Amino acid sequence: MLRSLPPADLLATFNWLFPEADVSADRRILWRFNLATLQANKGDRVAARSGFESVASELRASGQTGRLLDESQKALERLREPGPATRATK
């Protein structure tokens, strides 16, 4: 289903369904990760890079490890490569 919509529409739908102001503090970092993923898929490399850097920095600062940090770092590596952003892996 997600591949049937243009990336810009997916990002707009995400923002419509989950406005930042409505996201609880305990879910905010996951929301930011998802936002950065959708921005990368849309091709907004600058915003995506900023989002992933923010997520990774916050997780490291709080001493957290795990998949969210790992995937943020992988996304940053992909975004450092020249060319369009690639889709995030599962």
Side-chain angles (χ1 to χ4, degrees), residues 36 38-49 79 85:
L38 292 169
Q39 289 168 328
N41 287 339
K42 180 180 172 244
D44 189 349
R45 298 171 64 86
V46 172
R49 190 171 25 252
L79 288 166

Side-chain angles (χ1 to χ4, degrees), residues 38-75:
L38 292 169
Q39 289 168 328
N41 287 339
K42 180 180 172 244
D44 189 349
R45 298 171 64 86
V46 172
R49 190 171 25 252
S50 175
F52 286 123
E53 286 172 349
S54 173
V55 167
S57 177
E58 183 177 326
L59 290 170
R60 283 192 299 269
S62 64
Q64 295 184 47
T65 60
R67 187 164 184 180
L68 196 58
L69 178 57
D70 295 344
E71 293 301 320
S72 295
Q73 292 171 328
K74 287 178 189 175

